[in-house]
Amino acid sequence: EDLPQVARAPTEHPPIKVLSETLASVTEAGASQPAAVDAPWEPKTELVENPQWPGQMRVREKHMMKVSPFEVAKSKNNTADGLIHKYGKNLQVLSDLAAADWDALDEESGKEVLDMTLKGMGLFHRRKTTPKRFMMRLKMPNGICTADQVDFLATCLDNLEETETSGAICADITTRMSWQLRGVDLESVPAIFDGLEEHGLTSVQSGLDNVRNLVGSPVAGLDPLELFDTRPYMRLLDDHITDNGRGNPKFTNLPRKFNIALVGTHDEFEHPHINDLAFKPARHSETGELGFNIVVGGLFSASRCDAAMCMDAWVPMSHTVALADSVLCVFRDFGFRGARNKTRLMYLIDAMGMEAFRAEVAARLPDGELARKGESILDPSWERRSILGVHAQQEEGLFWVGVNVPVGRLHANDMHEFATLAREYGDGNLRLSVEQNIVLSGVPEARVEELLAEPLLNHGGQYGGMTPFPGRIHSGLVACPGSEFCGFGLVETKANARAISDELEALLEIPNEVRMHWTGCPNSCGQAQVADLGFLGAAAKHPETKKMVPGVHLFTGGRIGPNSALAELETKSVPILGPEEWAQGQGVVPVVAQMLEERFGAVRRKTRKEAG
Ligand code: SRM
């Protein structure tokens, strides 16, 4: 009975309150301070019915920044009943598009649909890297999937044809604990959509201006030390936001993407500080009731990276969906729709001031009230645990096994094998983590050793390296897809991340885990700013030829968990180069090796020559 209730319909729009209270000064560990606003949020907030989106409001046009061409295209192609029904399940549109001459398509005849609108259904055309092939991004609330679902996704890959231009047919685990399938052609999409529905999966609202995959604890319901089982919240939130996976026009026209996390343990595995909205376990300051403090506005982007700010708000467990609904409606109706780099929630809060934003959110809650920040129950001195390896579950005699999947990349065969292991040894479920790894759950004690002896978990897999016991760098290694698949990618990331980590682990004895995150461009999908050592793709000069070569900006000092902090840029444009140059003291390996020795207690291993 503690579960959230569904919020009320958006059409009952309450009157706008103009507030001039001063900004909340309270902060939460890891949260940044709200920016000061010059003037209180005044009647420029006048709302009007949005003609393109019946039932939804927006700030009156003359008060808005210039509407971006992206918004114009969206309102043309992404109408409330359009996104989902016109381009999603309308198989005729898809097959017409599949049969069309894509080079001849213009904005009117379907180019925008191919390259933009279909993202709302989780279909991302990789025009630049693998033309005519799509990446398909799933919704996977809390990163939980069944063996049957994983088998189905792998079968989708089995059915795709690899050609010279298709790129690798493979899957990636994302930094928001979801799956992405690679190499999908439009002809295959109708059958994939049917299969998704049959298997209780959906790709709807996983891209474009939508709420992205909901992140909770990867060991929710398993971990004996958890504070909250995040699963039911994630499920209910996702059902509400996507209308049970069918697609929900109420939330498909946000001003920009939106990230939500709900924290389940002291470890804060979910990275709440980098989400637009995060729920953090806390007690009501007077009654002691359990619920959540709210932080808002966290974002990484090419033009701004900021930790989420304390909203000075607390909700009971039963109001989580209602709170998310209110925040989303305020963002949807007031959010800026001008220059795309200034449309995330943080910019709206900057302009409104936290108090006015908070009041608008409160006004949309079922009882119109929002309690002030409660007492956090997160332990600030908690040592963040690793979920990799073997761990006892809540239920006596059962264990979870966290497996490192190097940079989250899998072949269909690996997915089938993981599904088989989950069925044979565990409870038939697999969990994905934001570090792009897999957790097998519900393994009886008597079978743990046998599971650990399976070839897949002994550096197996099509791309090698799968293991529950990785080295000190591989255990925390994360990489975005980079230039192999992403049009924004300035450098190759996954292969570089692996090769460089292999080299560093071979060179150095490292006493503790050093978390390294690789991201191919400043959008920071690979979250360089949460890492101990972050690598952000950039052009760099070759030390000898002076020609421009792929390189990285190096970030240091990221902290996650209870006292989170964002990493800062330390060294610019270090060329990546290769093993021959590394051996001569050039490129990224010697630079990072020195950092590991000086700051992380690493010591050089003896070379074969030195060891005699
Ligand atoms: Fe991201 C855009 C991949 C997590 C910030 N991201 C993209 C696109 C869709 C660009 C494109 O169309 O090619 C990338 C698709 C590449 C591909 O082929 O896979 C892409 N983002 C990813 C994934 C797959 C990286 C990964 O290796 O896991 C992650 C998918 C998560 C998911 O399941 O939904 C992913 N992206 C993130 C994160 C990390 C996070 O959410 O914790 C961030 C930074 C946090 C944030 O959003 O505040 C992130 N992605 C961006 C941005 C910058 C957003 C902005 O406000 O400017 C873009 C660019 C954009 O949206 O215009 C972007």
Side-chain angles (χ1 to χ4, degrees):
E1 70 274 22
D2 273 327
L3 294 178
Q5 58 196 72
V6 171
R8 68 180 186 206
T11 38
E12 297 165 38
H13 206 285
I16 306 304
K17 291 184 183 164
V18 180
L19 295 175
S20 58
E21 277 131 62
T22 48
L23 294 167
S25 57
V26 259
T27 56
E28 177 98 32
S32 54
Q33 285 279 5
V37 275
D38 299 338
W41 182 246
E42 294 251 33
K44 63 184 175 202
T45 58
E46 190 182 1
L47 293 186
V48 293
E49 181 104 21
N50 185 338
Q52 251 102 34
W53 298 78
Q56 299 186 14
M57 312 297 283
R58 71 174 189 204
V59 177
R60 192 181 278 285
E61 207 139 332
K62 67 178 174 173
H63 300 304
M64 291 169 74
M65 285 188 231
K66 202 164 171 278
V67 176
S68 67
F70 196 93
E71 280 294 327
V72 176
K74 235 171 43 173
S75 51
K76 223 171 37 191
N77 290 306
N78 185 18
T79 53
D81 63 343
L83 168 71
I84 290 134
H85 304 113
K86 193 165 159 204
Y87 303 116
K89 297 292 299 230
N90 187 331
L91 307 181
Q92 191 54 50
V93 173
L94 287 177
S95 52
D96 286 353
L97 274 174
D101 172 3
W102 289 19
D103 295 328
L105 289 178
D106 58 18
E107 266 62 22
E108 288 307 313
S109 57
K111 188 168 178 289
E112 266 170 3
V113 177
L114 279 177
D115 291 348
M116 175 184 152
T117 316
L118 285 179
K119 288 184 184 179
M121 290 302 297
L123 286 166
F124 296 65
H125 184 206
R126 306 292 76 195
R127 181 182 283 276
K128 194 168 160 192
T129 52
T130 58
K132 295 217 164 187
R133 296 293 180 126
F134 288 75
M135 171 272 279
M136 182 181 245
R137 181 184 288 168
L138 278 295
K139 274 286 180 80
M140 198 64 55
N142 213 131
I144 298 177
C145 36
T146 64
D148 289 351
Q149 290 173 335
V150 174
D151 262 336
F152 164 70
L153 295 176
T155 306
C156 294
L157 295 178
D158 291 333
N159 293 339
L160 296 168
E161 193 192 345
E162 189 158 330
T163 65
E164 267 177 25
T165 54
S166 68
I169 306 292
C170 60
D172 286 324
I173 302 172
T174 75
T175 51
R176 296 197 67 80
M177 47 171 53
S178 188
W179 288 107
Q180 288 189 169
L181 307 182
R182 305 248 168 230
V184 175
D185 52 46
L186 221 42
E187 289 85 350
S188 308
V189 168
I192 297 181
F193 276 157
D194 284 345
L196 290 179
E197 203 170 320
E198 211 175 293
H199 289 85
L201 292 167
T202 187
S203 62
V204 73
Q205 289 170 252
S206 60
L208 213 61
D209 293 339
N210 277 298
V211 178
R212 300 301 163 85
N213 198 46
L214 301 173
V215 172
S217 165
V219 287
L222 309 176
D223 181 4
L225 299 180
E226 79 180 1
L227 300 166
F228 275 92
D229 181 348
T230 55
R231 292 173 301 174
Y233 299 97
M234 299 285 93
R235 191 78 242 179
L236 283 163
L237 265 174
D238 195 63
D239 286 351
H240 181 66
I241 290 164
T242 66
D243 188 14
N244 299 298
R246 284 190 288 265
N248 186 354
K250 181 176 175 186
F251 298 120
T252 51
N253 179 29
L254 299 176
R256 200 71 162 94
K257 72 187 293 196
F258 197 90
N259 294 328
I260 304 181
L262 189 138
V263 172
T265 74
H266 295 295
D267 310 86
E268 301 191 27
F269 291 126
E270 306 80 2
H271 300 163
H273 63 305
I274 63 166
N275 280 260
D276 296 273
L277 166 64
F279 295 84
K280 300 181 76 172
R283 287 188 184 280
H284 187 280
S285 56
E286 283 158 22
T287 64
E289 186 185 347
L290 269 179
F292 301 99
N293 279 344
I294 307 300
V295 296
V296 281
L299 86 159
F300 289 167
S301 73
S303 48
R304 177 175 184 178
C305 293
D306 261 321
M309 299 184 297
C310 174
M311 189 174 153
D312 193 13
W314 176 93
V315 287
M317 294 185 289
S318 57
H319 279 35
T320 44
V321 172
L323 189 281
D325 182 280
S326 298
V327 170
L328 286 170
C329 287
V330 172
F331 180 49
R332 182 195 68 196
D333 294 344
F334 289 83
F336 301 128
R337 292 180 185 262
R340 295 282 291 167
N341 63 350
K342 294 208 168 77
T343 51
R344 293 287 293 272
L345 179 67
M346 188 63 119
Y347 291 93
L348 178 64
I349 299 172
D350 278 352
M352 287 178 94
M354 187 63 91
E355 271 306 305
F357 173 72
R358 191 184 178 287
E360 292 296 345
V361 172
R364 285 159 181 75
L365 287 170
D367 50 12
E369 279 175 20
L370 186 56
R372 293 280 162 187
K373 175 180 185 270
E375 295 291 329
S376 173
I377 58 168
L378 294 169
D379 179 354
S381 61
W382 190 261
E383 192 95 4
R384 193 174 187 273
R385 297 165 296 163
S386 168
I387 59 163
L388 298 179
V390 181
H391 301 264
Q393 290 182 193
Q394 289 169 12
E395 205 179 325
E396 186 81 26
L398 291 183
F399 288 77
W400 87 69
V401 178
V403 185
N404 181 230
V405 176
V407 292
R409 171 68 47 93
L410 294 103
H411 188 271
N413 295 344
D414 307 332
M415 295 167 74
H416 285 304
E417 261 194 80
F418 264 115
T420 304
L421 296 183
R423 267 190 222 103
E424 274 191 14
Y425 293 93
D427 56 16
N429 288 314
L430 298 96
R431 318 289 189 97
L432 310 179
S433 78
V434 296
E435 273 90 16
Q436 306 175 318
N437 295 318
I438 289 183
V439 170
L440 296 169
S441 53
V443 184
E445 187 169 8
R447 305 220 53 205
V448 169
E449 285 305 320
E450 222 181 316
L451 171 61
L452 294 180
E454 282 285 345
L456 182 69
L457 305 198
N458 285 275
H459 297 274
Q462 196 91 6
Y463 305 107
M466 309 255 189
T467 168
F469 310 109
R472 300 288 197 213
I473 296 176
H474 276 287
S475 59
L477 189 64
V478 169
C480 79
S483 60
E484 182 186 5
F485 288 109
C486 181
F488 291 127
L490 301 172
V491 299
E492 200 291 328
T493 44
K494 288 197 188 269
N496 272 321
R498 283 195 72 180
I500 285 159
S501 303
D502 286 346
E503 181 76 10
L504 290 166
E505 283 186 1
L507 272 177
L508 300 164
E509 198 95 55
I510 308 167
N512 297 306
E513 182 184 76
V514 182
R515 296 173 307 103
M516 296 192 184
H517 284 228
W518 279 72
T519 199
C521 80
N523 287 320
S524 212
C525 303
Q527 310 155 325
Q529 295 83 352
V530 307
D532 293 315
L533 279 172
F535 300 73
L536 192 153
K541 242 186 215 159
H542 191 285
E544 282 163 11
T545 65
K546 307 293 176 209
K547 287 203 173 124
M548 295 316 276
V549 292
V552 283
H553 296 326
L554 290 176
F555 285 69
T556 53
R559 286 201 312 270
I560 48 176
N563 291 301
S564 55
L566 299 186
E568 302 277 347
L569 176 62
E570 179 165 319
T571 312
K572 279 186 116 176
S573 300
V574 179
I576 295 173
L577 308 181
E580 274 177 30
E581 287 103 332
W582 300 338
Q584 292 160 23
Q586 294 171 340
V588 73
V589 166
V591 175
V592 176
Q594 193 180 341
M595 284 174 158
L596 289 171
E597 285 181 283
E598 288 172 1
R599 302 182 210 173
F600 296 92
V603 285
R604 293 218 169 231
R605 292 179 200 273
K606 284 202 168 105
T607 58
R608 251 190 232 147
K609 212 163 127 199
E610 284 162 350

